[in-house]
Amino acid sequence: MPAKRPPIPLSRERIIEAALDIADTQGLRRLTMRRLGEALQVEAMAIYHHLPGGKEALLDALAQHVTTVSVDPSGLPDWREIARAWCRAGRQALLAHPGVLSLAMTKPPRGSAAAAIGEQVRQLADAGLREPAAAVRTLRSYVFGSVAVELQQTGWADPKAQPVMPEPDGEAAFERGLTALLTGLERFAET
Amino acid sequence: MPAKRPPIPLSRERIIEAALDIADTQGLRRLTMRRLGEALQVEAMAIYHHLPGGKEALLDALAQHVTTVSVDPSGLPDWREIARAWCRAGRQALLAHPGVLSLAMTKPPRGSAAAAIGEQVRQLADAGLREPAAAVRTLRSYVFGSVAVELQQTGWADPKAQPVMPEPDGEAAFERGLTALLTGLERFAET
DNA sequence: ACCTGAACACCGTTCAAGT
DNA sequence: ACCTGAACACCGTTCAAGT
């Protein structure tokens, strides 16, 4: 028979990982403290010991997790390519966890997520872009919205859980729109 | 003493109106069938009679409500201005109901919301835009994302419910980004 | 036809208690 | 230090019953 105690002790990381898995496979509405405990082989109440803020803190942590990305700008020729890299990384991180997209778009960026935005602004400024904060805001808008529309199109949130149907044109549509946006930004935002 | 029966009989419209009010003022998490019934002076179970699908149908209806917009293209000189009008209308409709933004971005467009998208594509095609469906998709992405970022910035979802703080630069940022996007779309999408 | 009351299975969270 | 069990107030939804 299996041991009663969990093989690995609980940790913030394991909790977040398990929560993401539930949200992505069953939907955010089914992410429940009790179900999360079950997935971790633990009573639900044990979670509070590692995540003092309760469920609200858990949701904040999930949002932060999927909006924290980083880009190495070395080797990228200009601000245009740096911006492109950040947008692609942001899109990938969001697409990887469709279950928590609504949290990522709703919760204000905190901690590592806010730091990532600051780093992006800095890189673009260093690369000679004028008003980098405004540009980053516009790019973030586009990334969030693109992923939302892409997931809408795949019917991810539908009643009969479709077999994922990855929508092959999603990436192409994203790149087309991104190029259009960068072309437009060039017009007034060059240094 | 007040009458036990509600003064006005329940209706789908009244239910949606009351639900939007709760979501906008108290947050989506507090929108509950029981609280909704209380706001309508009715037992929660009465709602099911007018909204057969239960809470899931209610949330669908809310998403549809805030994503159904219309634009009269007559008098607008070109596709650029038609697109601008649709984007402004979409932004206003979403900003008016911050509580259900996450639903609007998540639920696939249905019914009147899907019809509005079709109408937008038709208008842009008539105005001479090439590949209007791709353009509308990109514009929708930008509108969704802009509103999400704007509401993040205002701290709408924060713990201590701020006094709305309408972020005066939100509209300016939206218009700047929109102009950039339209400029970029012009490049490859003219007829 | 429209609404209510009671009931059921399920939530998040607390708190004292176990080890 | 870390986890459990019981308890409380609250969910969504059903179903028979009232008017």
Side-chain angles (χ1 to χ4, degrees), chain A residues 105 137 140 152 167 180 184, chain B residues 105 137 140 152 167 180 184:
Chain A
M105 311 220 317
R137 182 183 167 138
R140 281 198 341 121
Q152 278 181 3
E167 205 210 7
Chain B
M105 310 219 320
R137 181 182 168 139
R140 281 198 342 119
Q152 277 181 3
E167 206 210 6

Side-chain angles (χ1 to χ4, degrees), chain A residues 29 56 102 104-110 131 134 137-138 140-142 144-146 148-150 152-153 157-159 167 170 173 176-177 179-181 183-185 187-188, chain B residues 29 56 102 104-110 131 134 137-138 140-142 144-146 148-150 152-153 157-159 167 170 173 176-177 179-181 183-185 187-188:
Chain A
R29 284 198 65 237
E56 205 53 41
S102 61
M105 311 220 317
T106 282
K107 305 259 183 190
R110 265 196 254 281
E131 302 200 51
R137 182 183 167 138
T138 301
R140 281 198 341 121
S141 296
Y142 176 68
F144 276 135
S146 292
V149 169
E150 182 166 352
Q152 278 181 3
Q153 230 91 12
D158 251 336
E167 205 210 7
R176 270 184 55 108
T179 297
L181 189 52
T183 302
L185 285 177
R187 192 67 65 97
F188 10 40
Chain B
R29 284 197 65 237
E56 206 52 42
S102 61
M105 310 219 320
T106 282
K107 304 259 184 190
R110 267 197 253 282
E131 303 199 52
R137 181 182 168 139
T138 302
R140 281 198 342 119
S141 296
Y142 176 68
F144 275 136
S146 293
V149 170
E150 182 166 352
Q152 277 181 3
Q153 230 91 13
D158 252 336
E167 206 210 6
R176 269 183 57 107
T179 297
L181 189 52
T183 302
L185 284 177
R187 193 67 64 96
F188 12 39

Side-chain angles (χ1 to χ4, degrees), chain A residues 169-186:
Chain A
D169 302 341
E171 180 160 357
F174 176 77
E175 294 288 339
R176 270 184 55 108
L178 178 55
T179 297
L181 189 52
L182 291 173
T183 302
L185 285 177
E186 232 164 46

Side-chain angles (χ1 to χ4, degrees), chain A:
Chain A
M1 79 206 74
K4 274 266 174 74
R5 291 296 218 78
I8 319 159
L10 226 44
S11 73
R12 199 185 144 90
E13 312 235 332
R14 282 188 63 229
I15 292 171
I16 290 175
E17 200 179 352
L20 283 174
D21 185 60
I22 293 174
D24 290 336
T25 57
Q26 316 188 35
L28 191 59
R29 284 198 65 237
R30 307 208 55 160
L31 171 56
T32 235
M33 296 305 270
R34 284 167 149 99
R35 242 187 290 261
L36 183 52
E38 194 184 13
L40 292 163
Q41 312 236 49
V42 139
E43 294 304 304
M45 300 73 197
I47 298 168
Y48 288 78
H49 215 271
H50 297 263
L51 238 133
K55 190 168 189 187
E56 205 53 41
L58 173 63
L59 299 184
D60 280 346
L62 297 181
Q64 195 169 317
H65 185 96
V66 298
T67 53
T68 299
V69 294
S70 70
V71 162
D72 177 8
S74 64
L76 297 176
D78 55 12
W79 69 264
R80 245 169 149 279
E81 288 311 311
I82 294 171
R84 226 186 269 275
W86 277 97
C87 289
R88 283 171 180 154
R91 170 173 176 268
Q92 291 298 345
L94 292 173
L95 274 182
H97 298 291
V100 296
L101 176 67
S102 61
L103 296 176
M105 311 220 317
T106 282
K107 305 259 183 190
R110 265 196 254 281
S112 58
I117 295 174
E119 171 67 14
Q120 186 180 356
V121 171
R122 213 170 305 118
Q123 286 186 16
L124 290 180
D126 288 351
L129 183 67
R130 206 162 44 164
E131 302 200 51
V136 165
R137 182 183 167 138
T138 301
L139 293 170
R140 281 198 341 121
S141 296
Y142 176 68
V143 170
F144 276 135
S146 292
V147 175
V149 169
E150 182 166 352
L151 288 178
Q152 278 181 3
Q153 230 91 12
T154 66
W156 189 83
D158 251 336
K160 344 91 185 55
Q162 255 170 302
V164 193
M165 231 294 247
E167 205 210 7
D169 302 341
E171 180 160 357
F174 176 77
E175 294 288 339
R176 270 184 55 108
L178 178 55
T179 297
L181 189 52
L182 291 173
T183 302
L185 285 177
E186 232 164 46
R187 192 67 65 97
F188 10 40
E190 200 102 350
T191 211

Side-chain angles (χ1 to χ4, degrees), chain B residues 76-149:
Chain B
L76 297 175
D78 56 11
W79 69 263
R80 243 167 152 281
E81 290 310 313
I82 294 172
R84 226 186 269 273
W86 277 97
C87 290
R88 284 171 179 154
R91 171 173 176 269
Q92 292 297 345
L94 291 173
L95 273 182
H97 297 291
V100 296
L101 175 68
S102 61
L103 296 177
M105 310 219 320
T106 282
K107 304 259 184 190
R110 267 197 253 282
S112 58
I117 294 174
E119 172 66 13
Q120 187 180 356
V121 172
R122 213 170 304 117
Q123 287 185 16
L124 291 180
D126 288 352
L129 182 68
R130 206 163 42 165
E131 303 199 52
V136 164
R137 181 182 168 139
T138 302
L139 293 170
R140 281 198 342 119
S141 296
Y142 176 68
V143 170
F144 275 136
S146 293
V147 175
V149 170

Side-chain angles (χ1 to χ4, degrees), chain B residues 27 39 43 51-52 54 59 61 65 73 76 85 90 99 105-106 130 132 154 172:
Chain B
E43 294 303 306
L51 238 132
L59 299 184
H65 184 96
L76 297 175
M105 310 219 320
T106 282
R130 206 163 42 165
T154 67

